[in-house]
Amino acid sequence: QVQMAESGGGSVQAGGSLRLSCGISGYTFRNKFMSWFRQAPGKEREGVAAIDRADGSTWYTDSVKGRFTISQDDAKNTLYLQMNSLKPEDTAMYYCAATPRWAPTRLRLNQSEYDYWGQGTQVTVSS
């Protein structure tokens, strides 16, 4: 079993930055892809960024490209999401997720591909 726990959320003004962390424990070596999702009130959960644990390849949803960076620290079993130039529309609960299964590129930001989830951390961006 894999356990995941997010931290680093908070409130920030538009244009500011936050770095989210996700501590991962359990059978971490099995994970092939790790990702960040977010869900705003009244909206569906959407994939924000994903990373291939083996080679570090990354994928981003269009709305965060150039502003967010996903990264991993294998020694610390930690996944990060650096968020810069934050906008009010980035306000949401952010979740980290992982899967031991291979997923085609077009589905690596699809929540149905992920088996393990954290509880979420709230990010609020004020204008």
Side-chain angles (χ1 to χ4, degrees):
Q1 190 62 285
V2 174
Q3 293 83 41
M4 309 180 77
E6 305 91 341
S7 61
S11 296
V12 64
Q13 289 193 326
S17 298
L18 283 174
R19 187 175 82 156
L20 305 184
S21 299
C22 176
I24 308 168
S25 61
Y27 296 110
T28 59
F29 62 92
R30 293 181 178 178
N31 293 327
K32 292 189 182 296
F33 297 101
M34 298 184 291
S35 63
W36 288 94
F37 286 77
R38 67 185 179 187
Q39 188 168 20
K43 295 188 177 181
E44 292 187 356
R45 189 172 297 188
E46 67 165 339
V48 175
I51 187 167
D52 183 325
R53 188 172 176 276
D55 64 12
S57 298
T58 57
W59 299 266
Y60 298 91
T61 192
D62 287 345
S63 62
V64 308
K65 285 180 181 177
R67 300 189 299 122
F68 290 12
T69 303
I70 187 171
S71 62
Q72 59 183 351
D73 185 330
D74 284 345
K76 295 182 179 179
N77 286 331
T78 303
L79 180 70
Y80 299 101
L81 185 68
Q82 178 66 45
M83 305 186 295
N84 299 327
S85 302
L86 282 161
K87 304 175 180 180
E89 51 263 45
D90 294 319
T91 295
M93 185 72 78
Y94 283 71
Y95 302 89
C96 57
T99 179
R101 299 176 286 122
W102 182 86
T105 302
R106 63 184 176 84
L107 295 179
R108 288 172 188 170
L109 291 178
N110 188 313
Q111 62 177 320
S112 65
E113 296 299 309
Y114 291 86
D115 301 299
Y116 307 112
W117 294 83
Q119 294 300 307
T121 186
Q122 178 67 37
V123 172
T124 302
V125 184
S126 58
S127 58

